[in-house]
Amino acid sequence: MGLVMPDFGLFFWMLLSFSILLFVLKKFAWGPILQALSDREKSIDDALKMAENAKEEMLILQSGNEKILKEAILEREKIVKEARDLKHSIIHEARQEAEVEANKILEQAKAAIERERAGAVSEIKILIANFSVEIAEKILQDKLADNAKQQELIQNSIDQINLN
Amino acid sequence: MTLLRSLIIVFVTFLATPTILSAKEEHAASDTISHKKFNTGDMIFSHIKDSYEWHITTIGHTHISIPLLVLLYSETTGFHSFSSSNFHHGEEAYQGFHIASEGKYQRKIVETLPDGSEVKPWDLSITKNVTSLFISIFLLLVIFLSVAKRYKENFARAPKGIQSWIEPIVVFICEDIAIPSIGKEKYQRYLPFLLTIFFFIFINNMMGLIPFFPGGANVTGDISVTIVLALFTFAITSYSGTKDYWMHIVNAPGIPLWLKIPIPLMPIVEIISVFIKPFVLTIRLFANMTAGHIVALGFYSLIFIFAEKSIFAGYGISVLTIAFTVFMGLLELLVAFIQAYVFTLLSALYFGLALEKHEHKDEAHHN
């Protein structure tokens, strides 16, 4: 039957035109299209990967930041503490030094006062001695005016002096 | 498809403008023709078979059709090329050639030799199917070259227009047909062919569904066309066949020895299967597309069969016919895609089989 009998003309034209179609499409259509599709797939893939990487890096960066922040806080606390300690020690030292100095001054003052006092005492002693001599002189002059009394005194004094 | 064409014949008959069409002929009131009984088989076959002119419509006794180029080589008179309008719709002879109306060469050009016998010349005429083939190839080239240009300009751009129709199908063929059937390593070599046959078959199937001029030809329902497609698949399969593939055919491993010697049963079966594969591809596509056209035309014929009994029965049945043909048209849309898919998938599977490395070398030693 004619329906299932291949026709030479159509067979020939089909073979020819399909070969040309296949060649042209392969060379000028499928090549660029498939290339573009795979390029696009690759670029989307890359972009996704890059986004993923960026996210990870962000996380790392963030945790780094947090670490740095924590360290900074610690550092600050340390510095503040150190400063506080320093302040304390400076004040302390100053106080100590001041005390020492004060003591020293006090000591010196005391020594000076002592010295002055001693000076004054010895001067007073001399003065008193002088006054005593003068008084004694006056008394003696008075007493020695009477001969009898002179004798008695000499006698008393001789008695008191022990010759042993 | 032809269903729509049927509708067109009914409705557009009054609208058809014959200005661009040259082949126009007034038949003097020939009562013989007008009283000719409606022949369903003839009508259907004249629609699904190839012809030398592109028939558009008939108004009264005026045939409106596009004349096509006739190219012949006769062993006695050499080359001939002339317009098919010279045959006056198959009713007249020209330069010793005429279109056989019956017999072995029905609807083909035959040459009448001086002694009165008829022979078939080498016929390279640009028939209706060849023209339709050229139109769809032109369409394919326009579509895909323009799409390729867009891809070349910037691959990263989102698909637009026709490109967004093409791309999912290309990706589908790539990832759901080629890769699973052929394997990831070698599928790229076969992609151009697979894509080309898919779109070629699909476009031609769809063109066949269009009932009027640029479509309507039954290209993928012509066995000459499907044979060529299957031959391509066969040639590529045979060309890419590995040693394992051929060894498997000649000496299939894992088969009892008595099936091979003394009568080589299995080798014979295997060798037959090599040729059956393209044969099946040929028949499947051809039969599916032709069957769709025949069924739709059959429904359409009901109108005329009933109208011969009574004109009112004809009008009545036309409602049913139209409902059926619309349904068939939708079904054919599905079939147009499925057949393109099946042909591509089977081709890919055959390529995959030809490339397969069989892992039972040890068993082969036993035999």
Side-chain angles (χ1 to χ4, degrees), chain A residues 2 7 9-10 13 28 30 40, chain B residues 49 123-124 155 167 196 224:
Chain A
D7 177 63
L10 184 55
W13 289 115
F28 300 108
W30 304 130
R40 191 196 297 162
Chain B
K49 287 284 293 174
D123 188 352
L124 289 175
F155 67 83
E167 190 173 311
T196 309
S224 319

Side-chain angles (χ1 to χ4, degrees), chain B residues 19-35:
Chain B
T19 44
I20 51 151
L21 315 163
S22 63
K24 214 166 79 152
E25 196 182 338
E26 292 290 339
H27 287 266
S30 47
D31 288 350
T32 45
I33 290 174
S34 66
H35 286 149

Side-chain angles (χ1 to χ4, degrees), chain A residues 71-126:
Chain A
E71 271 172 16
I73 290 171
L74 280 179
E75 191 76 3
R76 192 192 66 183
E77 273 171 13
K78 212 170 110 191
I79 289 170
V80 168
K81 198 166 158 261
E82 268 173 20
R84 204 178 286 143
D85 287 352
L86 198 66
K87 183 188 85 177
H88 279 301
S89 73
I90 287 173
I91 290 173
H92 190 68
E93 264 173 39
R95 189 174 284 156
Q96 269 183 340
E97 257 173 47
E99 241 165 66
V100 168
E101 200 68 13
N103 283 348
K104 219 166 107 189
I105 292 169
L106 213 62
E107 287 300 312
Q108 277 173 354
K110 269 186 191 164
I113 290 168
E114 195 58 34
R115 242 184 354 259
E116 291 295 307
R117 200 183 60 112
V121 168
S122 64
E123 249 175 57
I124 288 168
K125 275 182 183 165
I126 291 163

Side-chain angles (χ1 to χ4, degrees), chain B residues 202-328:
Chain B
F202 184 61
I203 285 262
N204 277 301
N205 287 352
M206 294 306 272
M207 294 280 285
L209 299 184
I210 302 170
F212 43 87
F213 165 59
N218 188 19
V219 177
T220 38
D222 195 301
I223 201 156
S224 319
V225 171
T226 58
I227 278 182
V228 174
L229 291 172
L231 277 180
F232 269 94
T233 299
F234 175 69
I236 295 172
T237 311
S238 307
Y239 177 74
S240 30
T242 55
K243 206 179 137 203
D244 273 352
Y245 171 71
W246 295 113
M247 277 306 292
H248 205 94
I249 286 166
V250 180
N251 181 13
I255 304 284
L257 197 61
W258 60 270
L259 280 173
K260 297 172 184 171
I261 296 169
I263 312 160
L265 271 176
M266 278 316 286
I268 288 174
V269 169
E270 291 278 359
I271 286 165
I272 290 172
S273 86
V274 168
F275 294 99
I276 280 182
K277 283 172 188 168
F279 181 72
V280 164
L281 281 181
T282 305
I283 297 298
R284 182 183 293 109
L285 181 57
F286 151 75
N288 270 287
M289 297 325 292
T290 300
H293 285 230
I294 290 177
V295 170
L297 285 164
F299 279 131
Y300 172 59
S301 302
L302 285 178
I303 299 175
F304 296 93
I305 293 166
F306 276 85
E308 278 186 344
K309 309 287 172 210
S310 145
I311 189 81
F312 299 108
Y315 283 130
I317 204 75
S318 68
V319 177
L320 200 65
T321 297
I322 288 167
F324 271 129
T325 44
V326 167
F327 169 73
M328 275 305 296

Side-chain angles (χ1 to χ4, degrees), chain B residues 50-241:
Chain B
D50 208 356
S51 67
Y52 290 97
E53 55 182 14
W54 201 313
H55 184 247
I56 307 278
T57 185
T58 302
I59 304 172
H61 297 300
T62 310
H63 295 292
I64 298 168
S65 49
I66 301 169
L68 301 167
L69 180 68
V70 175
L71 270 176
L72 299 169
Y73 175 74
S74 158
E75 272 152 20
T76 51
T77 55
F79 280 105
H80 296 269
S81 70
F82 49 87
S83 163
S84 70
S85 62
N86 288 312
F87 287 126
H88 297 282
H89 314 295
E91 281 150 19
E92 283 173 31
Y94 184 76
Q95 291 183 0
F97 300 102
H98 71 276
I99 300 172
S101 56
E102 57 199 348
K104 197 170 141 203
Y105 302 129
Q106 194 189 9
R107 294 191 186 85
K108 299 271 177 242
I109 290 177
V110 289
E111 186 181 12
T112 315
L113 294 178
D115 60 11
S117 60
E118 288 182 343
V119 290
K120 198 171 176 296
W122 292 97
D123 188 352
L124 289 175
S125 303
I126 308 299
T127 59
K128 182 182 171 188
N129 279 352
V130 176
T131 314
S132 182
L133 180 69
F134 289 166
I135 292 171
S136 49
I137 283 177
F138 174 74
L139 267 178
L140 282 167
L141 288 176
V142 168
I143 292 171
F144 288 103
L145 292 182
S146 67
V147 166
K149 204 176 124 210
R150 235 188 100 81
Y151 275 112
K152 254 191 257 176
E153 277 165 15
N154 183 0
F155 67 83
R157 201 159 41 174
K160 211 174 113 188
I162 192 102
Q163 195 185 5
S164 47
W165 283 83
I166 301 307
E167 190 173 311
I169 303 179
V170 172
V171 172
F172 169 73
I173 292 171
C174 198
E175 294 187 348
D176 290 304
I177 295 179
I179 294 177
S181 316
I182 303 174
K184 257 204 154 15
E185 304 88 41
K186 290 190 172 164
Y187 79 97
Q188 268 161 330
R189 265 178 66 198
Y190 300 95
L191 262 185
F193 176 71
L194 294 175
L195 289 165
T196 309
I197 52 167
F198 180 86
F199 285 106
F200 178 85
I201 295 170
F202 184 61
I203 285 262
N204 277 301
N205 287 352
M206 294 306 272
M207 294 280 285
L209 299 184
I210 302 170
F212 43 87
F213 165 59
N218 188 19
V219 177
T220 38
D222 195 301
I223 201 156
S224 319
V225 171
T226 58
I227 278 182
V228 174
L229 291 172
L231 277 180
F232 269 94
T233 299
F234 175 69
I236 295 172
T237 311
S238 307
Y239 177 74
S240 30

